[in-house]
Amino acid sequence: MASEHIVSGMAGRYATALFELAESEGSLDAVAADLGRIRSLIDGSADLKSVVLSPVLGADEQGRAFAAILDRAGIKGLVANFVGLVVKRRRLFALPDMITGFDRLLAAKRGEVSADVTSAHPLSDAQLSSLKTALKAATGRDVLINTRVDEGLLGGLIVKVGSRMIDSSLKTKLNSLKLAMKEAS
């Protein structure tokens, strides 16, 4: 199966199972939208991120917390059941990777290439559009952009498309300058 080359590991197996279920139900776009909302909720809340990553919280506590969050976000059906299963199996820590895997499978089905973009601050819609246009020109294919914020970068971007990575972050530039200055002295 081609999906084995796109996603792998435990998170990849879960992502593939969800993808195949969504595809058989004809609900790929709806599932992708719900997963995108979950990713935004996790990325936007340090408390929710700690619930996802905490090995201390039991499955019951995580399940209740996520059930309330999904209900408030209006996420039901296949995605709610999927998250419930992930919590029950004590795999909630891998949910962000499962979402990324699903996005990669969907991008491959659509003939898109997936790009992981890390920035110091959230990107505006205009910046995302400009980046998407530039990446499409560079790759010759439509690009699905997965964003992540890492304030430690200080500025700039890290863009990863397939096995290629472009690191124009201020942190990397400063570290390179620091290294060059050490070598010169």
Side-chain angles (χ1 to χ4, degrees):
M1 173 178 273
S3 66
E4 293 171 4
H5 300 292
I6 299 169
V7 294
S8 62
M10 180 267 301
R13 290 190 303 274
Y14 276 81
T16 301
L18 179 61
F19 181 84
E20 290 173 356
L21 276 171
E23 189 173 35
S24 71
E25 291 183 0
S27 60
L28 284 172
D29 292 334
V31 168
D34 285 348
L35 291 175
R37 286 204 312 270
I38 291 172
R39 181 195 310 272
S40 295
L41 290 170
I42 293 170
D43 288 346
S45 169
D47 290 338
L48 184 55
K49 198 175 288 187
S50 70
V51 168
V52 169
L53 299 175
S54 176
V56 177
L57 293 176
D60 292 340
E61 293 167 297
Q62 287 178 323
R64 281 192 300 274
F66 250 86
I69 289 162
L70 296 178
D71 187 51
R72 187 172 296 150
I75 297 172
K76 299 178 171 118
L78 183 58
V79 174
N81 292 340
F82 175 77
V83 172
L85 176 70
V86 168
V87 169
K88 184 178 176 184
R89 298 259 171 101
R90 303 287 294 147
R91 301 284 191 257
L92 190 57
F93 66 91
L95 184 61
D97 292 334
M98 293 173 195
I99 294 171
T100 299
F102 183 92
D103 289 344
R104 286 186 178 141
L105 290 167
L106 186 59
K109 178 169 179 60
R110 292 178 175 165
E112 299 173 332
V113 64
S114 181
D116 296 321
V117 177
T118 306
S119 60
H121 305 284
L123 299 175
S124 70
D125 290 339
Q127 290 170 321
L128 281 172
S129 177
S130 176
L131 183 58
K132 194 173 224 181
T133 302
L135 289 173
K136 182 175 182 174
T139 62
R141 295 169 65 186
D142 285 331
V143 180
L144 173 71
I145 297 178
N146 300 310
T147 60
R148 191 171 81 83
V149 174
D150 178 359
E151 294 173 358
L153 295 181
L154 304 174
L157 298 173
I158 298 175
V159 179
K160 185 175 181 199
V161 180
S163 62
R164 292 191 317 185
M165 185 169 87
I166 302 162
D167 186 344
S168 67
S169 67
L170 188 54
K171 180 180 179 180
T172 299
K173 289 179 181 178
L174 288 173
N175 284 339
S176 296
L177 183 60
K178 182 178 170 183
L179 183 62
M181 290 174 70
K182 280 184 180 179
E183 290 175 355
S185 57

Coordinates of all heavy atoms in Angstrom, one line a residue, residues 13-105:
R13 N -0.3 4.3 11.6 CA -1.3 3.2 11.5 C -2.7 3.8 11.9 O -3.7 3.5 11.2 CB -1.0 2.0 12.4 CG 0.2 1.2 11.9 CD 0.4 -0.1 12.6 NE 0.6 0.1 14.1 CZ 1.7 0.3 14.6 NH1 2.8 0.4 13.9 NH2 1.8 0.4 16.0
Y14 N -2.8 4.6 12.9 CA -4.0 5.2 13.3 C -4.5 6.2 12.3 O -5.7 6.2 11.9 CB -3.9 5.9 14.7 CG -4.0 5.1 15.9 CD1 -2.9 4.3 16.3 CD2 -5.2 5.0 16.6 CE1 -3.1 3.5 17.5 CE2 -5.3 4.2 17.8 CZ -4.2 3.5 18.2 OH -4.4 2.7 19.3
A15 N -3.6 7.0 11.7 CA -3.9 7.9 10.7 C -4.5 7.2 9.5 O -5.5 7.6 8.9 CB -2.7 8.8 10.3
T16 N -3.8 6.1 9.1 CA -4.3 5.3 7.9 C -5.7 4.7 8.1 O -6.5 4.8 7.2 CB -3.3 4.2 7.6 OG1 -2.0 4.8 7.3 CG2 -3.7 3.4 6.4
A17 N -5.9 4.2 9.3 CA -7.2 3.6 9.6 C -8.3 4.7 9.6 O -9.4 4.5 9.0 CB -7.2 3.0 11.0
L18 N -8.0 5.9 10.1 CA -9.0 7.0 10.1 C -9.2 7.4 8.7 O -10.4 7.6 8.2 CB -8.6 8.1 11.0 CG -9.5 9.4 11.0 CD1 -10.9 9.0 11.5 CD2 -8.9 10.5 11.8
F19 N -8.2 7.5 7.9 CA -8.3 8.0 6.5 C -9.1 7.0 5.7 O -10.0 7.4 4.9 CB -6.9 8.1 5.9 CG -6.9 8.5 4.5 CD1 -6.9 9.9 4.2 CD2 -6.8 7.6 3.4 CE1 -6.9 10.3 2.9 CE2 -6.9 8.1 2.1 CZ -6.9 9.4 1.8
E20 N -8.9 5.7 5.9 CA -9.6 4.7 5.1 C -11.1 4.7 5.5 O -12.0 4.6 4.6 CB -9.0 3.3 5.3 CG -7.7 3.2 4.6 CD -6.9 1.9 4.9 OE1 -7.4 1.1 5.7 OE2 -5.8 1.7 4.3
L21 N -11.4 4.9 6.8 CA -12.8 5.0 7.2 C -13.5 6.2 6.7 O -14.6 6.2 6.2 CB -12.9 5.0 8.8 CG -12.9 3.7 9.5 CD1 -12.7 4.0 11.0 CD2 -14.1 2.9 9.2
A22 N -12.8 7.3 6.7 CA -13.3 8.6 6.2 C -13.5 8.5 4.7 O -14.6 9.0 4.2 CB -12.4 9.8 6.5
E23 N -12.6 7.9 4.0 CA -12.7 7.7 2.6 C -13.9 6.8 2.2 O -14.7 7.1 1.3 CB -11.4 7.1 2.0 CG -11.4 7.1 0.5 CD -10.0 6.7 0.0 OE1 -9.4 5.8 0.6 OE2 -9.6 7.2 -1.1
S24 N -14.1 5.7 2.9 CA -15.2 4.8 2.7 C -16.6 5.5 3.0 O -17.6 5.2 2.3 CB -15.1 3.5 3.5 OG -15.3 3.8 4.8
E25 N -16.6 6.4 3.9 CA -17.8 7.2 4.2 C -18.0 8.4 3.3 O -19.0 9.1 3.4 CB -17.8 7.6 5.7 CG -18.0 6.5 6.7 CD -18.0 7.0 8.1 OE1 -18.0 8.2 8.3 OE2 -18.2 6.2 9.0
G26 N -17.0 8.7 2.6 CA -17.1 9.9 1.7 C -17.0 11.2 2.5 O -17.6 12.2 2.1
S27 N -16.3 11.2 3.7 CA -16.2 12.3 4.5 C -14.8 12.8 4.8 O -14.5 13.4 5.9 CB -16.9 12.0 5.9 OG -16.2 10.9 6.5
L28 N -13.9 12.7 3.8 CA -12.5 13.1 4.0 C -12.4 14.6 4.3 O -11.7 15.0 5.2 CB -11.7 12.8 2.7 CG -11.3 11.4 2.5 CD1 -10.7 11.2 1.1 CD2 -10.4 10.9 3.6
D29 N -13.1 15.5 3.6 CA -13.0 16.9 3.9 C -13.6 17.3 5.2 O -13.0 18.1 5.9 CB -13.8 17.7 2.8 CG -13.1 17.6 1.4 OD1 -11.8 17.4 1.4 OD2 -13.8 17.7 0.4
A30 N -14.7 16.7 5.6 CA -15.3 17.0 7.0 C -14.3 16.5 8.1 O -14.1 17.2 9.1 CB -16.6 16.3 7.1
V31 N -13.7 15.3 7.9 CA -12.8 14.8 8.9 C -11.6 15.7 9.0 O -11.1 16.0 10.1 CB -12.5 13.3 8.6 CG1 -11.3 12.9 9.5 CG2 -13.7 12.4 8.9
A32 N -11.1 16.1 7.8 CA -9.9 16.9 7.8 C -10.2 18.3 8.5 O -9.3 18.8 9.2 CB -9.5 17.2 6.3
A33 N -11.4 18.8 8.3 CA -11.7 20.1 8.9 C -11.8 19.9 10.4 O -11.3 20.8 11.2 CB -13.1 20.6 8.4
D34 N -12.4 18.8 10.9 CA -12.5 18.6 12.3 C -11.1 18.4 13.0 O -10.8 18.9 14.0 CB -13.4 17.3 12.6 CG -14.9 17.6 12.5 OD1 -15.2 18.8 12.3 OD2 -15.6 16.6 12.4
L35 N -10.3 17.6 12.3 CA -8.9 17.4 12.8 C -8.1 18.7 12.8 O -7.3 19.0 13.7 CB -8.2 16.4 11.9 CG -8.7 14.9 12.0 CD1 -7.9 14.0 11.0 CD2 -8.6 14.4 13.4
G36 N -8.3 19.6 11.8 CA -7.7 20.9 11.8 C -8.1 21.7 13.0 O -7.3 22.4 13.6
R37 N -9.4 21.6 13.4 CA -9.9 22.4 14.5 C -9.3 21.8 15.8 O -8.9 22.6 16.7 CB -11.4 22.3 14.6 CG -12.1 23.2 13.6 CD -13.5 23.7 14.0 NE -14.4 22.6 14.4 CZ -15.2 21.9 13.6 NH1 -15.2 22.1 12.3 NH2 -16.0 21.0 14.1
I38 N -9.1 20.5 15.9 CA -8.5 19.9 17.1 C -7.0 20.4 17.2 O -6.6 20.7 18.2 CB -8.6 18.4 17.0 CG1 -10.0 17.9 17.2 CG2 -7.7 17.7 18.1 CD1 -10.3 16.4 17.0
R39 N -6.3 20.4 16.0 CA -4.9 20.8 16.0 C -4.9 22.3 16.5 O -4.0 22.6 17.3 CB -4.3 20.7 14.6 CG -2.9 21.1 14.6 CD -2.3 21.4 13.2 NE -2.5 20.3 12.3 CZ -1.7 19.3 12.1 NH1 -0.6 19.2 12.8 NH2 -2.0 18.4 11.2
S40 N -5.7 23.1 16.0 CA -5.7 24.5 16.4 C -6.0 24.7 17.9 O -5.4 25.5 18.6 CB -6.8 25.3 15.6 OG -6.5 25.3 14.3
L41 N -6.9 23.9 18.4 CA -7.3 23.9 19.9 C -6.0 23.5 20.7 O -5.7 24.1 21.7 CB -8.4 23.0 20.2 CG -9.8 23.5 19.7 CD1 -10.8 22.3 19.8 CD2 -10.3 24.7 20.4
I42 N -5.4 22.4 20.3 CA -4.2 22.0 21.0 C -3.1 23.0 20.9 O -2.4 23.3 21.9 CB -3.7 20.6 20.5 CG1 -4.8 19.5 20.8 CG2 -2.4 20.2 21.1 CD1 -4.5 18.2 20.1
D43 N -2.8 23.5 19.7 CA -1.7 24.5 19.6 C -2.0 25.8 20.3 O -1.1 26.5 20.7 CB -1.5 24.8 18.1 CG -0.8 23.6 17.4 OD1 -0.3 22.7 18.0 OD2 -0.8 23.6 16.1
G44 N -3.3 26.1 20.5 CA -3.7 27.4 21.1 C -3.8 27.4 22.6 O -4.1 28.4 23.2
S45 N -3.7 26.2 23.2 CA -3.9 26.1 24.6 C -2.8 25.3 25.3 O -2.7 24.1 25.1 CB -5.2 25.5 24.9 OG -5.4 25.2 26.3
A46 N -2.0 25.9 26.2 CA -1.0 25.2 26.9 C -1.6 24.2 27.8 O -1.1 23.1 28.0 CB -0.1 26.2 27.7
D47 N -2.8 24.5 28.4 CA -3.5 23.5 29.3 C -3.9 22.3 28.5 O -3.7 21.2 29.0 CB -4.7 24.2 29.9 CG -4.3 25.2 30.9 OD1 -3.2 25.2 31.5 OD2 -5.2 26.1 31.2
L48 N -4.5 22.5 27.3 CA -4.9 21.3 26.5 C -3.7 20.5 26.1 O -3.7 19.3 26.1 CB -5.8 21.8 25.3 CG -6.3 20.7 24.5 CD1 -7.2 19.7 25.3 CD2 -7.2 21.3 23.4
K49 N -2.6 21.2 25.7 CA -1.4 20.5 25.3 C -0.9 19.7 26.5 O -0.5 18.5 26.2 CB -0.3 21.5 24.9 CG 0.8 21.0 24.1 CD 1.7 22.0 23.6 CE 1.1 22.8 22.5 NZ 1.9 23.8 21.8
S50 N -1.0 20.1 27.7 CA -0.5 19.3 28.8 C -1.4 18.2 29.1 O -1.0 17.1 29.5 CB -0.4 20.2 30.1 OG -1.6 20.6 30.6
V51 N -2.7 18.3 28.8 CA -3.7 17.2 28.9 C -3.3 16.1 27.9 O -3.3 14.9 28.2 CB -5.1 17.6 28.7 CG1 -6.1 16.4 28.5 CG2 -5.6 18.4 29.9
V52 N -3.0 16.5 26.7 CA -2.6 15.6 25.6 C -1.3 14.9 26.0 O -1.2 13.6 25.8 CB -2.5 16.3 24.3 CG1 -1.8 15.4 23.2 CG2 -3.8 16.8 23.8
L53 N -0.3 15.6 26.5 CA 1.0 15.0 26.7 C 1.2 14.4 28.0 O 2.2 13.7 28.2 CB 2.1 16.1 26.4 CG 2.1 16.6 25.0 CD1 3.1 17.8 24.9 CD2 2.4 15.6 24.0
S54 N 0.3 14.6 29.0 CA 0.5 14.1 30.3 C 0.4 12.6 30.5 O -0.6 12.0 30.2 CB -0.5 14.8 31.3 OG -0.3 14.3 32.6
P55 N 1.5 12.0 31.0 CA 1.4 10.6 31.3 C 0.8 10.3 32.7 O 0.5 9.2 33.0 CB 2.9 10.1 31.3 CG 3.6 11.4 31.7 CD 2.9 12.5 31.2
V56 N 0.6 11.4 33.4 CA 0.0 11.3 34.8 C -1.5 11.1 34.8 O -2.0 10.4 35.6 CB 0.5 12.5 35.6 CG1 -0.2 12.5 37.0 CG2 2.0 12.6 35.7
L57 N -2.1 11.9 33.9 CA -3.6 11.8 33.8 C -4.0 10.4 33.3 O -3.5 9.9 32.4 CB -4.1 12.9 32.9 CG -4.0 14.3 33.3 CD1 -4.5 15.3 32.2 CD2 -4.7 14.6 34.6
G58 N -5.1 9.9 33.9 CA -5.6 8.6 33.5 C -6.5 8.8 32.3 O -6.9 9.9 31.9
A59 N -6.8 7.7 31.6 CA -7.6 7.7 30.4 C -9.0 8.3 30.7 O -9.6 9.0 29.8 CB -7.8 6.3 29.9
D60 N -9.5 8.0 31.9 CA -10.9 8.6 32.2 C -10.8 10.1 32.3 O -11.7 10.8 31.7 CB -11.4 8.0 33.6 CG -11.7 6.5 33.5 OD1 -11.9 6.0 32.4 OD2 -11.7 5.9 34.6
E61 N -9.8 10.7 32.9 CA -9.7 12.1 33.0 C -9.5 12.7 31.6 O -10.1 13.7 31.3 CB -8.5 12.5 33.9 CG -8.7 12.1 35.4 CD -7.4 12.2 36.2 OE1 -6.5 11.5 35.9 OE2 -7.4 13.1 37.1
Q62 N -8.6 12.1 30.8 CA -8.3 12.6 29.5 C -9.6 12.5 28.6 O -9.9 13.4 27.9 CB -7.2 11.9 28.8 CG -5.8 12.2 29.4 CD -4.7 11.4 28.7 OE1 -4.9 10.2 28.4 NE2 -3.6 12.0 28.5
G63 N -10.3 11.4 28.8 CA -11.5 11.2 28.0 C -12.6 12.2 28.4 O -13.2 12.7 27.4
R64 N -12.8 12.5 29.6 CA -13.8 13.5 30.0 C -13.4 14.9 29.5 O -14.2 15.6 29.0 CB -14.0 13.5 31.6 CG -14.8 12.4 32.1 CD -15.2 12.6 33.6 NE -14.0 12.7 34.4 CZ -13.4 11.7 35.0 NH1 -13.9 10.5 34.8 NH2 -12.4 11.9 35.8
A65 N -12.1 15.2 29.7 CA -11.7 16.5 29.2 C -11.9 16.7 27.7 O -12.4 17.7 27.2 CB -10.2 16.7 29.5
F66 N -11.5 15.7 26.9 CA -11.6 15.7 25.5 C -13.0 15.7 25.0 O -13.4 16.3 24.0 CB -10.7 14.7 24.8 CG -9.5 15.3 24.1 CD1 -8.4 15.6 24.8 CD2 -9.6 15.7 22.8 CE1 -7.3 16.2 24.2 CE2 -8.6 16.4 22.1 CZ -7.4 16.6 22.8
A67 N -13.9 14.9 25.7 CA -15.3 14.8 25.3 C -15.9 16.2 25.5 O -16.7 16.6 24.6 CB -16.0 13.8 26.2
A68 N -15.6 16.9 26.5 CA -16.1 18.2 26.7 C -15.6 19.2 25.7 O -16.4 20.0 25.2 CB -15.8 18.8 28.1
I69 N -14.4 19.1 25.4 CA -13.7 20.0 24.4 C -14.4 19.8 23.0 O -14.7 20.7 22.3 CB -12.2 19.8 24.3 CG1 -11.6 20.4 25.6 CG2 -11.6 20.5 23.1 CD1 -10.2 20.0 25.9
L70 N -14.5 18.5 22.6 CA -15.0 18.2 21.3 C -16.5 18.6 21.2 O -16.9 19.1 20.2 CB -14.9 16.6 21.0 CG -13.5 16.1 20.9 CD1 -13.5 14.6 20.7 CD2 -12.7 16.8 19.8
D71 N -17.2 18.4 22.3 CA -18.6 18.8 22.3 C -18.8 20.3 22.1 O -19.6 20.8 21.4 CB -19.3 18.3 23.6 CG -20.8 18.6 23.6 OD1 -21.4 18.2 22.7 OD2 -21.3 19.2 24.6
R72 N -17.9 21.0 22.9 CA -18.0 22.5 22.8 C -17.6 23.0 21.4 O -18.1 24.0 20.9 CB -17.0 23.1 23.8 CG -17.2 24.7 23.9 CD -16.4 25.3 25.0 NE -17.0 24.8 26.3 CZ -16.3 24.7 27.4 NH1 -15.0 25.0 27.4 NH2 -16.9 24.3 28.5
A73 N -16.6 22.3 20.7 CA -16.2 22.6 19.4 C -17.1 22.1 18.3 O -16.9 22.4 17.1 CB -14.8 22.1 19.1
G74 N -18.1 21.3 18.7 CA -19.1 20.8 17.7 C -18.5 19.7 16.9 O -19.0 19.4 15.8
I75 N -17.6 19.0 17.4 CA -17.0 17.9 16.7 C -17.6 16.6 17.1 O -17.6 16.2 18.3 CB -15.4 17.8 16.9 CG1 -14.8 19.1 16.3 CG2 -14.8 16.6 16.3 CD1 -13.3 19.3 16.7
K76 N -18.3 15.9 16.2 CA -19.0 14.7 16.5 C -18.6 13.6 15.5 O -17.7 13.7 14.7 CB -20.5 15.0 16.4 CG -21.0 16.0 17.3 CD -22.5 16.3 17.2 CE -22.9 17.2 18.3 NZ -23.4 18.4 18.1
G77 N -19.4 12.5 15.6 CA -19.3 11.4 14.6 C -17.9 10.7 14.6 O -17.4 10.4 15.7
L78 N -17.4 10.5 13.4 CA -16.2 9.7 13.2 C -15.0 10.3 14.0 O -14.3 9.5 14.6 CB -15.9 9.6 11.7 CG -14.7 8.8 11.3 CD1 -14.9 7.3 11.8 CD2 -14.5 8.8 9.8
V79 N -14.8 11.6 13.9 CA -13.6 12.1 14.6 C -13.7 12.0 16.1 O -12.8 11.7 16.8 CB -13.4 13.6 14.2 CG1 -12.3 14.3 15.0 CG2 -13.0 13.6 12.7
A80 N -14.9 12.3 16.6 CA -15.1 12.2 18.1 C -14.9 10.7 18.5 O -14.3 10.5 19.6 CB -16.5 12.6 18.5
N81 N -15.4 9.8 17.7 CA -15.2 8.3 18.1 C -13.8 8.0 18.0 O -13.3 7.2 18.8 CB -16.1 7.5 17.1 CG -17.5 7.6 17.4 OD1 -18.0 8.0 18.4 ND2 -18.3 7.2 16.4
F82 N -13.1 8.5 17.0 CA -11.7 8.2 16.8 C -10.9 8.7 18.0 O -10.0 8.0 18.6 CB -11.2 8.9 15.5 CG -9.7 8.8 15.3 CD1 -9.1 7.6 14.9 CD2 -8.8 9.8 15.5 CE1 -7.7 7.4 14.7 CE2 -7.5 9.7 15.4 CZ -6.9 8.5 14.9
V83 N -11.1 10.0 18.4 CA -10.4 10.5 19.6 C -10.7 9.7 20.8 O -9.8 9.5 21.6 CB -10.7 12.0 19.8 CG1 -10.2 12.6 21.1 CG2 -10.2 12.8 18.6
G84 N -12.0 9.3 21.0 CA -12.3 8.5 22.1 C -11.6 7.2 22.1 O -11.1 6.7 23.2
L85 N -11.4 6.6 21.0 CA -10.6 5.3 20.9 C -9.1 5.6 21.2 O -8.5 4.8 21.9 CB -10.7 4.7 19.5 CG -9.8 3.5 19.2 CD1 -10.4 2.3 20.0 CD2 -9.8 3.2 17.8
V86 N -8.6 6.7 20.7 CA -7.2 7.1 21.0 C -7.0 7.3 22.5 O -6.0 6.8 23.0 CB -6.8 8.3 20.2 CG1 -5.5 8.9 20.6 CG2 -6.8 8.0 18.7
V87 N -7.9 7.9 23.1 CA -7.8 8.1 24.6 C -7.9 6.8 25.3 O -7.1 6.5 26.2 CB -8.9 9.1 25.1 CG1 -9.0 9.1 26.6 CG2 -8.7 10.5 24.5
K88 N -8.9 6.0 24.9 CA -9.1 4.7 25.6 C -7.8 3.8 25.5 O -7.5 3.1 26.4 CB -10.3 4.0 24.9 CG -10.6 2.7 25.6 CD -11.9 2.1 24.9 CE -12.2 0.7 25.5 NZ -13.3 0.1 24.8
R89 N -7.2 3.9 24.3 CA -5.9 3.1 24.1 C -4.7 3.7 24.7 O -3.6 3.2 24.5 CB -5.8 2.8 22.6 CG -6.9 2.0 22.0 CD -6.5 0.6 21.8 NE -7.6 -0.2 21.4 CZ -7.8 -0.7 20.2 NH1 -7.0 -0.3 19.2 NH2 -8.9 -1.4 19.9
R90 N -4.8 4.9 25.4 CA -3.7 5.6 26.0 C -2.7 6.1 24.9 O -1.5 6.0 25.1 CB -3.0 4.7 27.1 CG -3.9 4.2 28.2 CD -4.3 5.3 29.2 NE -3.2 5.8 29.9 CZ -3.1 7.0 30.3 NH1 -4.0 7.9 30.1 NH2 -2.0 7.4 31.0
R91 N -3.2 6.6 23.8 CA -2.4 7.0 22.7 C -2.6 8.5 22.5 O -2.2 9.0 21.4 CB -2.7 6.3 21.4 CG -2.4 4.8 21.5 CD -1.0 4.4 21.5 NE -0.7 3.0 21.4 CZ -0.3 2.2 22.3 NH1 -0.2 2.7 23.6 NH2 -0.1 1.0 22.1
L92 N -3.2 9.2 23.4 CA -3.5 10.6 23.2 C -2.3 11.5 22.9 O -2.3 12.4 22.1 CB -4.3 11.2 24.3 CG -4.9 12.6 24.2 CD1 -5.9 12.6 23.0 CD2 -5.6 13.0 25.4
F93 N -1.1 11.1 23.5 CA 0.1 11.8 23.3 C 0.5 11.9 21.8 O 1.2 12.7 21.4 CB 1.3 11.2 24.1 CG 1.6 9.8 23.6 CD1 2.6 9.6 22.7 CD2 0.9 8.7 24.2 CE1 2.9 8.3 22.3 CE2 1.3 7.4 23.7 CZ 2.2 7.2 22.8
A94 N 0.0 10.9 21.0 CA 0.4 10.8 19.6 C -0.7 11.4 18.7 O -0.5 11.4 17.5 CB 0.6 9.3 19.2
L95 N -1.7 12.0 19.2 CA -2.8 12.6 18.4 C -2.3 13.6 17.4 O -2.6 13.6 16.3 CB -3.9 13.2 19.3 CG -5.1 13.7 18.6 CD1 -5.8 12.6 17.7 CD2 -6.1 14.3 19.5
P96 N -1.4 14.6 17.8 CA -0.9 15.5 16.9 C -0.2 14.9 15.7 O -0.3 15.3 14.5 CB 0.1 16.4 17.7 CG -0.4 16.3 19.1 CD -0.9 14.9 19.2
D97 N 0.6 13.8 15.9 CA 1.2 13.1 14.8 C 0.2 12.3 14.0 O 0.4 12.2 12.8 CB 2.3 12.1 15.4 CG 3.5 12.8 16.0 OD1 3.8 14.0 15.6 OD2 4.1 12.2 16.9
M98 N -0.8 11.8 14.6 CA -1.9 11.2 13.8 C -2.6 12.2 12.9 O -2.9 11.8 11.7 CB -2.9 10.6 14.8 CG -2.4 9.4 15.6 SD -3.7 8.9 16.8 CE -2.7 7.9 17.9
I99 N -2.8 13.4 13.4 CA -3.4 14.4 12.5 C -2.5 14.8 11.4 O -3.0 14.9 10.2 CB -3.8 15.6 13.4 CG1 -4.9 15.3 14.4 CG2 -4.2 16.8 12.5 CD1 -5.1 16.4 15.5
T100 N -1.2 14.9 11.6 CA -0.3 15.2 10.6 C -0.2 14.0 9.6 O -0.2 14.3 8.3 CB 1.2 15.4 11.2 OG1 1.1 16.5 12.1 CG2 2.2 15.6 10.1
G101 N -0.3 12.8 10.0 CA -0.3 11.7 9.1 C -1.6 11.7 8.2 O -1.5 11.4 7.0
F102 N -2.7 12.0 8.8 CA -3.9 12.1 8.1 C -3.8 13.1 7.0 O -4.2 12.9 5.8 CB -5.1 12.4 9.0 CG -6.4 12.4 8.3 CD1 -7.2 11.3 8.2 CD2 -6.9 13.6 7.7 CE1 -8.4 11.3 7.5 CE2 -8.1 13.6 7.0 CZ -8.9 12.5 6.9
D103 N -3.3 14.3 7.4 CA -3.1 15.4 6.4 C -2.2 15.0 5.3 O -2.4 15.3 4.1 CB -2.5 16.6 7.1 CG -3.5 17.3 8.0 OD1 -4.7 17.0 7.9 OD2 -3.0 18.1 8.9
R104 N -1.1 14.2 5.5 CA -0.2 13.8 4.5 C -0.9 12.8 3.5 O -0.7 12.9 2.3 CB 1.0 13.1 5.1 CG 1.9 14.1 5.7 CD 3.2 13.5 6.2 NE 4.1 14.6 6.7 CZ 4.9 14.5 7.8 NH1 4.9 13.3 8.4 NH2 5.6 15.5 8.2
L105 N -1.7 11.9 4.1 CA -2.4 10.9 3.3 C -3.4 11.7 2.4 O -3.6 11.4 1.2 CB -3.2 9.9 4.1 CG -2.3 8.9 4.9 CD1 -3.1 8.2 5.9 CD2 -1.7 8.0 3.9

